[in-house]
Coordinates of all heavy atoms in Angstrom, one line a residue:
Chain A
R71 N -139.7 29.7 -119.4 CA -141.1 29.2 -119.1 C -141.0 27.8 -118.5 O -141.7 27.4 -117.7 CB -141.9 29.2 -120.3 CG -143.4 28.7 -120.1 CD -144.1 29.5 -119.1 NE -145.3 28.7 -118.6 CZ -145.8 28.8 -117.3 NH1 -145.2 29.6 -116.5 NH2 -146.8 28.0 -117.0
R317 N -136.1 23.2 -128.7 CA -137.6 23.2 -128.6 C -138.1 21.8 -128.4 O -139.3 21.5 -128.3 CB -138.2 23.7 -129.9 CG -138.0 25.2 -130.0 CD -138.3 25.8 -131.4 NE -138.2 27.2 -131.4 CZ -139.2 28.1 -131.1 NH1 -140.4 27.7 -130.9 NH2 -139.0 29.4 -131.2
S321 N -140.6 21.9 -125.1 CA -142.0 21.7 -125.5 C -142.7 20.5 -124.9 O -143.9 20.5 -124.6 CB -142.2 21.7 -127.0 OG -141.6 20.6 -127.6
Q324 N -143.7 21.5 -121.5 CA -144.9 22.3 -121.6 C -146.2 21.5 -122.0 O -147.3 21.9 -121.6 CB -144.6 23.5 -122.6 CG -143.7 24.5 -122.0 CD -142.9 25.4 -123.0 OE1 -143.4 25.6 -124.1 NE2 -141.8 25.9 -122.6
E352 N -154.5 22.8 -128.4 CA -153.5 23.7 -127.9 C -152.0 23.2 -128.2 O -151.2 24.0 -128.6 CB -153.7 24.1 -126.5 CG -155.0 24.8 -126.2 CD -155.3 25.1 -124.7 OE1 -154.6 24.5 -123.9 OE2 -156.2 25.9 -124.5
R353 N -151.8 22.0 -127.9 CA -150.4 21.5 -128.1 C -150.1 21.1 -129.5 O -148.9 21.1 -129.9 CB -150.1 20.4 -127.1 CG -150.2 20.8 -125.6 CD -149.4 22.1 -125.3 NE -147.9 21.9 -125.6 CZ -147.1 22.9 -125.6 NH1 -147.4 24.1 -125.2 NH2 -145.8 22.7 -125.8
A355 N -151.1 23.0 -132.0 CA -150.7 24.3 -132.4 C -149.3 24.7 -132.0 O -148.5 25.2 -132.7 CB -151.7 25.4 -132.0
A356 N -149.0 24.3 -130.7 CA -147.6 24.6 -130.2 C -146.6 23.8 -131.0 O -145.5 24.3 -131.3 CB -147.5 24.2 -128.7
A357 N -146.9 22.5 -131.3 CA -146.0 21.7 -132.0 C -145.7 22.3 -133.4 O -144.6 22.3 -133.9 CB -146.5 20.3 -132.2
E359 N -145.9 25.4 -134.3 CA -145.1 26.6 -134.1 C -143.6 26.2 -133.9 O -142.7 26.8 -134.5 CB -145.6 27.3 -132.8 CG -145.1 28.7 -132.6 CD -145.7 29.4 -131.4 OE1 -147.0 29.5 -131.4 OE2 -145.0 29.8 -130.5
N360 N -143.4 25.2 -133.1 CA -142.0 24.7 -132.9 C -141.4 24.1 -134.2 O -140.3 24.3 -134.5 CB -142.0 23.7 -131.7 CG -142.2 24.4 -130.4 OD1 -141.6 25.5 -130.2 ND2 -143.0 23.8 -129.5
M406 N -139.7 29.7 -127.0 CA -140.6 30.6 -126.3 C -141.9 29.8 -126.1 O -142.3 29.0 -126.9 CB -140.8 31.8 -127.2 CG -139.6 32.7 -127.4 SD -139.1 33.5 -126.0 CE -140.3 34.8 -125.8
P407 N -142.6 30.1 -125.0 CA -143.8 29.4 -124.8 C -144.9 29.8 -125.8 O -144.9 31.0 -126.3 CB -144.3 29.8 -123.4 CG -143.6 31.1 -123.2 CD -142.3 31.1 -124.0
T408 N -145.8 28.9 -126.1 CA -146.9 29.2 -127.0 C -148.0 29.9 -126.3 O -148.4 29.5 -125.2 CB -147.4 27.9 -127.7 OG1 -146.3 27.3 -128.4 CG2 -148.5 28.1 -128.6
T409 N -148.6 30.9 -127.0 CA -149.8 31.5 -126.5 C -151.0 30.8 -127.1 O -151.0 30.5 -128.3 CB -149.8 33.0 -126.9 OG1 -148.8 33.7 -126.2 CG2 -151.2 33.7 -126.6
Y410 N -151.9 30.3 -126.2 CA -153.0 29.5 -126.7 C -154.1 30.4 -127.2 O -155.2 30.6 -126.6 CB -153.6 28.6 -125.6 CG -152.5 27.7 -125.1 CD1 -152.3 27.5 -123.8 CD2 -151.6 27.0 -126.0 CE1 -151.3 26.7 -123.3 CE2 -150.6 26.2 -125.5 CZ -150.4 26.0 -124.1 OH -149.4 25.2 -123.7
R411 N -153.9 31.0 -128.4 CA -154.8 32.0 -129.0 C -156.1 31.3 -129.4 O -156.1 30.3 -130.0 CB -154.2 32.6 -130.2 CG -153.2 33.7 -129.9 CD -152.5 34.2 -131.2 NE -151.2 34.7 -130.9 CZ -151.0 35.9 -130.3 NH1 -152.0 36.7 -130.0 NH2 -149.8 36.3 -130.0
G430 N -154.7 33.5 -123.2 CA -154.0 32.4 -123.8 C -152.5 32.6 -123.5 O -151.7 31.6 -123.6
S431 N -152.0 33.8 -123.1 CA -150.5 33.9 -122.8 C -150.2 33.3 -121.5 O -151.0 33.2 -120.6 CB -150.2 35.4 -122.6 OG -150.4 36.2 -123.7
P432 N -148.9 32.8 -121.3 CA -148.5 32.4 -120.0 C -148.4 33.7 -119.1 O -148.0 34.7 -119.6 CB -147.1 31.8 -120.2 CG -146.7 32.2 -121.6 CD -147.9 32.6 -122.3
H526 N -151.7 29.9 -117.5 CA -152.0 30.7 -118.7 C -153.3 31.5 -118.4 O -154.1 31.1 -117.7 CB -152.3 29.8 -120.0 CG -151.0 29.3 -120.6 ND1 -150.5 29.8 -121.8 CD2 -150.0 28.4 -120.1 CE1 -149.4 29.2 -122.1 NE2 -149.0 28.4 -121.1

Side-chain angles (χ1 to χ4, degrees):
Chain A
R71 178 60 199 150
R317 288 169 179 270
S321 66
Q324 288 160 25
E352 292 175 348
R353 294 312 298 172
E359 192 175 300
N360 288 318
M406 295 290 285
T408 297
T409 293
Y410 304 133
R411 283 175 203 284
S431 301
H526 280 252

